Amino acid sequence: MLRFLFFIAIVRPFMFLWVGMNVRNTELLPKQGPALIAANHNSHMDTLALLSLFPIKQLKQVRAVAAADYFLANPIMRFIALELIGILPIERTPKDRTSDPVSKINEALDAGQILIFFPEGTRGDPEQLSRFKKGLARLAELRPQMPVIPVFLYGFGKVLPKGSFLPVPFFCDVFVGEALSSFETRSKTMAEFESSLEALSSRVSAPDWQ
C-alpha cells in the first residue's frame, strides 16, 4: 500500500507535471510477465520514469533490477529502494563463486514479474549511450519466448544527472519500441537491441543529442 501511495501522490505527479514526461507507444508495453524492459541509463530518474509508465494496479508486477551494494548501503536508502520503489536487489560482485545474480532474476520472472533492466550496467554521462553489457542477451537466451521491450529515455540525465541530488525541470521523452525477436546468439540479440535504441533515439528532435 505504501508503494502505491508513493507513486500516486509523488512519483506520477512529479513525472507528468513537473518534468513533463512525454511517452510514445505505451501500447507496446507488456500487459503481464514474465517480460523484460531494457532501457538506456543516465539518471536515477530513469527507474521512476519507467515504473510510471504502468497503471497503478499493475505496479505490483513491475520491479527494477538494481545494485544491492548501492541501494542497500544504509537504512534510509534501503527503505526507499525496497519499500517505496520496490527494486530487485542484485549483487554486482557475488560473495562466492556459487552465487549467480541471474538466478534471482529468473526467480522473479518465474513469478510472472516484469523487470526493468539497464544493459549499460550503471548510469552514464547525461544523454550519452555507454557500452552495453551482455547480461541482457544471457537472459534472452535462457527465455527465448519472453518479450524483451527496448525503451529509449531522453532528458532524465539533465533532470537528475549522476552526482546530483536536486532534480530540475526539463522536458523528457520516453520511446517504447517493438519487442526484440533475434535470440539465436548473444551477439545477434545485442546487435538488435543496439539497432532498436538507435532507431528510437533518432526520433528525438533535440539538437544536442549525439
Side-chain angles (χ1 to χ4, degrees):
M1 179 61 71
L2 189 59
R3 188 185 183 207
F4 294 129
L5 292 175
F6 175 63
F7 274 86
I8 292 172
I10 298 176
V11 177
R12 291 176 68 87
F14 177 83
M15 286 296 169
F16 289 103
L17 299 178
W18 176 258
V19 173
M21 185 170 72
N22 188 19
V23 187
R24 276 85 160 188
N25 303 325
T26 54
E27 70 277 3
L28 298 177
L29 291 169
K31 301 298 186 293
Q32 61 184 14
L36 207 63
I37 305 295
N40 58 308
H41 195 25
N42 294 139
S43 168
H44 282 321
M45 286 287 114
D46 297 341
T47 297
L48 296 177
L50 292 168
L51 287 168
S52 298
L53 301 182
F54 293 88
I56 290 297
K57 64 181 180 180
Q58 195 179 358
L59 193 59
K60 62 182 179 181
Q61 286 183 271
V62 189
R63 301 175 72 187
V65 177
D69 59 291
Y70 183 90
F71 286 97
L72 307 185
N74 61 68
I76 295 177
M77 188 175 291
R78 183 186 185 94
F79 174 79
I80 293 172
L82 295 179
E83 303 300 327
L84 298 183
I85 300 175
I87 70 165
L88 177 64
I90 299 296
E91 296 289 345
R92 288 188 287 191
T93 305
K95 297 178 181 179
D96 58 73
R97 294 184 179 181
T98 60
S99 59
D100 182 5
V102 174
S103 64
K104 197 169 185 178
I105 295 176
N106 273 320
E107 288 176 8
L109 293 171
D110 285 339
Q113 294 186 346
I114 299 170
L115 299 184
I116 293 170
F117 191 80
F118 297 110
E120 289 165 293
T122 187
R123 289 167 294 159
D125 294 328
E127 315 319 329
Q128 299 291 324
L129 291 176
S130 301
R131 182 173 177 271
F132 297 114
K133 299 179 181 179
K134 293 186 177 181
L136 172 66
R138 183 181 176 190
L139 290 171
E141 181 182 62
L142 294 172
R143 295 171 176 268
Q145 304 303 317
M146 176 183 66
V148 178
I149 313 298
V151 177
F152 181 76
L153 305 169
Y154 176 79
F156 297 98
K158 294 181 179 179
V159 174
L160 190 68
K162 189 174 182 178
S164 178
F165 297 96
L166 293 175
V168 296
F170 186 87
F171 287 109
C172 297
D173 294 296
V174 179
F175 299 88
V176 183
E178 298 276 357
L180 303 184
S181 59
S182 297
F183 301 134
E184 296 177 17
T185 64
R186 294 183 184 182
S187 59
K188 284 187 177 181
T189 299
M190 295 311 299
E192 185 182 2
F193 174 69
E194 292 175 18
S195 176
S196 179
L197 273 199
E198 288 175 5
L200 293 173
S201 71
S202 68
R203 302 181 189 178
V204 178
S205 60
D208 59 344
W209 174 257
Q210 298 178 359

